Amino acid sequence: MRVLAWSIFFALNVVSVVHGQSNPVLVELYYESLCPYCQEFFLNQLNGTQNILQDSGIMEVRIYPYGNAQQEQLPDGSWNFTCQHGHRECLGNIAEACILDEAQYDPALFMNVIACMEASNDPADATEACVKQWSKLDYDQINTCREGPKGIKLHHEMGLKTESLDPEHNFVPWIVVDGKHSNDIQNQAQDNLLKFVCESFGGEKPSECQEVKSVWDRMLALYQRIKIDIL
């Protein structure tokens, strides 16, 4: 009986160690709200892959809306931003940073909202409609954030995170997987993120990784679901 009990204890601990080593694949996206290549990756790869894998536990997603922006601290201690695609992009970045904060950085709560915004011609203008259509997040809190000092602070923090990249980014979208960036990682992620994450995960592959339907078709179907028209 003691031998049996010890065998069960040992087996359970081996399983625990094996599963403990199989950490989720961490996918980090550095982007800006009006960059067409960022929008393409977000809509055609990241959002769909997150929706497919969100219950599998094999992928963790973090996103940073800032991109190629520049920031300058003003005499009063606040920050002024210059964004690659103009002032509307800065407003979109700030709105998306506020959504991330309100969602407590949980992709299950923010991903479809920001995908909806990125599917529009003006993410800042689409904020209210997308929040109300795709989430139960408190829009009033988000609006207060994006129109006040909190939004500026969050965008500044996104800038600090972007500026700390090593190697530093020289284009967007800039994709980091498990703390690493390379041309190969970038190309594989942009080509088929679902396949790349499934192949990169070190543990037992979930059923979602056995999908026969192409990732492109799945992304396109999801894109059609979330796209809204902004007048």
Side-chain angles (χ1 to χ4, degrees), residues 40-190:
E40 180 181 2
F41 176 73
F42 207 109
L43 296 170
N44 292 341
Q45 297 293 340
L46 184 62
N47 186 50
T49 299
Q50 164 63 24
N51 277 274
I52 291 168
L53 296 178
Q54 67 179 353
D55 295 326
S56 71
I58 74 166
M59 182 175 76
E60 181 181 350
V61 174
R62 299 175 191 169
I63 65 173
Y64 308 95
Y66 185 82
N68 294 322
Q70 301 291 322
Q71 56 183 340
E72 176 188 10
Q73 190 165 26
L74 302 177
D76 64 0
S78 64
W79 292 90
N80 180 63
F81 304 104
T82 303
C83 293
Q84 182 175 7
H85 297 93
H87 182 60
R88 298 304 301 174
E89 179 166 78
C90 287
L91 295 179
N93 290 349
I94 292 170
E96 292 179 2
C98 288
I99 288 167
L100 294 173
D101 181 76
E102 182 66 18
Q104 299 183 344
Y105 302 91
D106 183 349
L109 301 179
F110 71 69
M111 187 65 73
N112 285 339
V113 178
I114 294 182
C116 172
M117 293 168 67
E118 291 301 307
S120 73
N121 293 324
D122 189 329
D125 276 353
T127 303
E128 181 174 5
C130 290
V131 168
K132 291 181 177 179
Q133 180 175 350
W134 288 99
S135 77
K136 295 182 179 180
L137 297 174
D138 188 333
Y139 173 70
D140 290 337
Q141 290 291 330
I142 293 168
N143 196 46
T144 298
C145 171
R146 69 173 178 155
E147 293 185 350
K150 184 176 181 180
I152 299 297
K153 176 178 179 291
L154 291 172
H155 198 217
H156 166 60
E157 291 172 354
M158 293 293 172
L160 292 179
K161 180 69 176 176
T162 303
E163 291 163 1
S164 71
L165 280 166
D166 183 17
E168 65 180 65
H169 84 287
N170 48 38
F171 58 83
V172 287
W174 188 263
I175 303 163
V176 177
V177 177
D178 288 336
K180 299 178 182 179
H181 173 88
S182 68
N183 288 337
D184 184 55
I185 288 171
Q186 181 84 22
N187 291 336
Q188 288 193 67
Q190 287 191 274

